[in-house]
Amino acid sequence: MTLRLLNRRCGPLSEATTAQIQALPLEQLEAPLDFQGQANLASWLAANAAPQGPQPV
């Protein structure tokens, strides 16, 4: 549901953006729903999303 709303408000989301949103904890899923554009969403994800890819050990 979150992805569908963001697609309506921000336009088509890239696979990377979709993956970042899917990785968010439930308590953070409400915040992106306030964004009206991809630039706002991308800035918020850069500051709040967990890093993607392999983690150093």
Side-chain angles (χ1 to χ4, degrees), residues 10 17-18 20 27 35-36 43 57:
C10 300
T17 299
T18 299
Q20 284 183 295
E27 58 271 4
F35 300 124
Q36 297 296 321
S43 294
V57 183

Side-chain angles (χ1 to χ4, degrees), residues 6-19:
L6 286 171
N7 272 298
R8 284 186 191 163
R9 290 185 181 192
C10 300
L13 303 174
S14 69
E15 288 183 29
T17 299
T18 299

Side-chain angles (χ1 to χ4, degrees), residues 12-41:
L13 303 174
S14 69
E15 288 183 29
T17 299
T18 299
Q20 284 183 295
I21 293 166
Q22 289 173 330
L24 291 172
L26 287 177
E27 58 271 4
Q28 284 188 301
L29 282 178
E30 242 180 72
L33 296 179
D34 293 333
F35 300 124
Q36 297 296 321
Q38 290 223 12
N40 292 59
L41 176 61

